[in-house]
């Protein structure tokens, strides 16, 4: 197994855990961009579509599923559970343009 991949995955775990702890301990999602979480979900879903067709290892499969599920959990926390604490005035990026631009470039 590649050491750099494991270190990258561990740092990603730490980042996800930090977001969870921040949201749950403060009971607020101020400072967390819900739109960025949606973009992360798009990235993970498109990047890890092969999880159901190509089995590489249990580690690889579990990591891909964890990243998708943890991002879905973040989206739930931001847009459902702590909906009233969103900083809408700060989260102003137009993700429609980013998604459209990425779709055009993917062709």
């Amino acid at each position: 197994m590649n050491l750099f991949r494991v270190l990258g995955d561990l740092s990603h775990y730490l980042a996800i855990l930090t977001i969870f702890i921040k949201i749950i301990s403060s009971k607020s999602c101020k400072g967390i961009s819900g739109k960025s979480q949606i973009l992360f979900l798009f990235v993970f879903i498109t990047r890890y579509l092969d999880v159901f067709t190509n089995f590489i290892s249990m580690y690889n499969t579990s990591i891909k599923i964890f990243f998708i599920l943890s991002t879905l959990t973040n989206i739930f926390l931001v847009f459902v559970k702590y909906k009233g604490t969103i900083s809408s005035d700060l989260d102003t990026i137009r993700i429609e343009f980013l998604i459209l631009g990425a779709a055009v470039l993917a062709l």
Side-chain angles (χ1 to χ4, degrees):
M1 183 160 320
N2 187 342
L3 174 67
F4 294 108
R5 176 177 178 173
V6 172
L7 291 175
D9 290 340
L10 288 175
S11 66
H12 199 165
Y13 285 142
L14 184 62
I16 291 169
L17 185 63
T18 303
I19 290 175
F20 284 153
I21 290 171
K22 188 263 179 223
I23 291 174
I24 292 172
S25 66
S26 67
K27 293 185 173 53
S28 167
C29 54
K30 285 193 186 290
I32 307 291
S33 171
K35 292 179 182 178
S36 291
Q37 294 301 314
I38 292 171
L39 291 173
F40 277 124
L41 182 63
F42 280 137
V43 167
F44 292 144
I45 286 176
T46 55
R47 205 170 158 195
Y48 300 147
L49 277 177
D50 68 336
V51 75
F52 301 110
T53 58
N54 298 338
F55 181 80
I56 296 171
S57 70
M58 195 61 181
Y59 173 79
N60 190 44
T61 301
S62 61
I63 269 212
K64 290 177 179 184
I65 291 171
F66 172 77
F67 287 158
I68 291 171
L69 290 178
S70 64
T71 306
L72 280 170
T73 304
N74 279 340
I75 290 171
F76 170 78
L77 290 173
V78 170
F79 288 111
V80 178
K81 187 160 185 179
Y82 298 111
K83 179 178 160 181
T85 64
I86 296 175
S87 302
S88 301
D89 54 326
L90 299 176
D91 198 10
T92 58
I93 190 167
R94 300 283 308 264
I95 63 172
E96 304 88 13
F97 296 130
L98 291 174
I99 293 171
L100 181 64
V104 168
L105 289 172
L107 300 174

